[in-house]
C-alpha cells in the first residue's frame, strides 16, 4: 500500500487570520457606506434646507396659518 503523506493542516492562528481579514473588510464597507450616506443623503439635504430658508418668511407663514384657523389661542383677523 503506497500512501502519500498529506500536508498537515494549519491549526494555530486560524481565528486571528480570519478576524484580521474580516475586520479589514468590515472597515472598508463601513467607511464606504458612511461616505455614500454623507454625499448621497446628508449634503443634498443640507443644501435643500439652506435653499428653503433663504426665502422663508416666518411671519407670512404664521399669518397664513392664523387665517386658516390652525391656532386656538390666536383668532383670525377676519373674525
Amino acid at each position: 500500500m503506497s500512501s502519500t503523506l498529506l500536508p498537515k493542516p494549519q491549526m494555530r492562528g486560524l481565528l486571528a487570520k480570519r478576524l484580521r481579514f474580516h475586520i479589514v473588510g468590515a472597515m472598508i464597507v463601513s467607511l464606504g457606506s458612511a461616505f455614500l450616506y454623507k454625499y448621497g443623503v446628508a449634503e443634498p439635504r443640507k443644501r435643500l434646507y439652506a435653499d428653503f430658508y433663504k426665502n422663508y418668511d416666518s411671519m407670512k407663514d404664521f399669518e397664513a396659518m392664523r387665517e386658516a384657523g390652525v391656532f386656538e389661542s390666536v383668532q383670525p383677523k377676519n373674525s
Side-chain angles (χ1 to χ4, degrees):
M1 203 193 255
S2 167
S3 67
T4 60
L5 295 176
L6 293 174
K8 288 188 175 182
Q10 180 186 2
M11 300 302 283
R12 294 181 190 261
L14 286 176
L15 179 62
K17 183 179 177 185
R18 288 181 56 89
L19 281 179
R20 199 173 321 126
F21 174 76
H22 286 99
I23 287 175
V24 168
M27 290 296 290
I28 290 170
V29 168
S30 65
L31 289 174
S33 298
F35 179 80
L36 288 174
Y37 180 82
K38 177 168 175 57
Y39 292 106
V41 176
E43 292 297 325
R45 187 177 293 171
K46 279 197 260 183
R47 192 171 39 256
L48 287 174
Y49 273 102
D51 291 343
F52 175 77
Y53 282 110
K54 278 181 189 174
N55 301 322
Y56 180 68
D57 184 11
S58 61
M59 288 308 294
K60 180 181 167 189
D61 202 24
F62 170 74
E63 291 299 329
M65 288 189 284
R66 181 182 194 178
E67 295 303 317
V70 173
F71 304 115
E72 293 180 6
S73 62
V74 180
Q75 296 299 321
K77 285 186 177 179
N78 297 336
S79 299

